Amino acid sequence: MVPVVIFLFLVCAVLAWSFRVWILIPITGVALITQVISDLVGGTSAATMTWSALVMALVPQFGFMLGLLARYVMFALRAPLAHDHPHSSVAKLYKQSSDSYSVAEVRRGSDTL
């Protein structure tokens, strides 16, 4: 059961990057049905079956939550900090405007004046 739990956790963490929360309903349903069938075939007790079904129901939720958290952290690390330094936005605007002119145009423009 442990390899299946790890696999399900990682699959749901990856699914969080491209799907909405509604993907958890079929994933959780398939995991629960598979676990209950395997417990019935294995002949386990009702208490063990309940605990394993609970684990199989919670693992996709935690995997999806970890995937959302990882996506948020990755996007937050790439976002520019506007309030970090007052001159950072001015420097960025200056760099953007200076990149739009070529060196030849600037030199040619100064020669004509």
Side-chain angles (χ1 to χ4, degrees):
M1 184 172 120
V2 174
V4 173
V5 167
I6 292 171
F7 179 73
L8 190 61
F9 183 84
L10 293 175
V11 164
C12 287
V14 170
L15 289 177
W17 282 76
S18 33
F19 291 101
R20 294 192 184 266
V21 74
W22 295 107
I23 194 69
L24 288 175
I25 293 171
I27 295 290
T28 304
V30 168
L32 278 174
I33 291 170
T34 307
Q35 184 64 36
V36 168
I37 290 173
S38 68
D39 283 345
L40 286 174
V41 169
T44 59
S45 66
T48 306
M49 189 182 307
T50 304
W51 280 109
S52 63
L54 181 68
V55 167
M56 281 298 175
L58 290 178
V59 164
Q61 315 295 323
F62 289 134
F64 197 84
M65 186 173 55
L66 179 76
L68 289 177
L69 179 69
R71 186 174 74 174
Y72 173 76
V73 167
M74 295 297 288
F75 286 145
L77 289 176
R78 289 194 292 172
L81 300 175
H83 64 280
D84 189 31
H85 193 271
H87 301 292
S88 64
S89 60
V90 174
K92 185 185 287 187
L93 288 173
Y94 178 74
K95 182 177 181 338
Q96 289 175 351
S97 65
S98 66
D99 287 343
S100 64
Y101 301 110
S102 68
V103 176
E105 287 178 7
V106 172
R107 287 185 184 162
R108 209 174 324 128
S110 64
D111 290 339
T112 59
L113 292 175

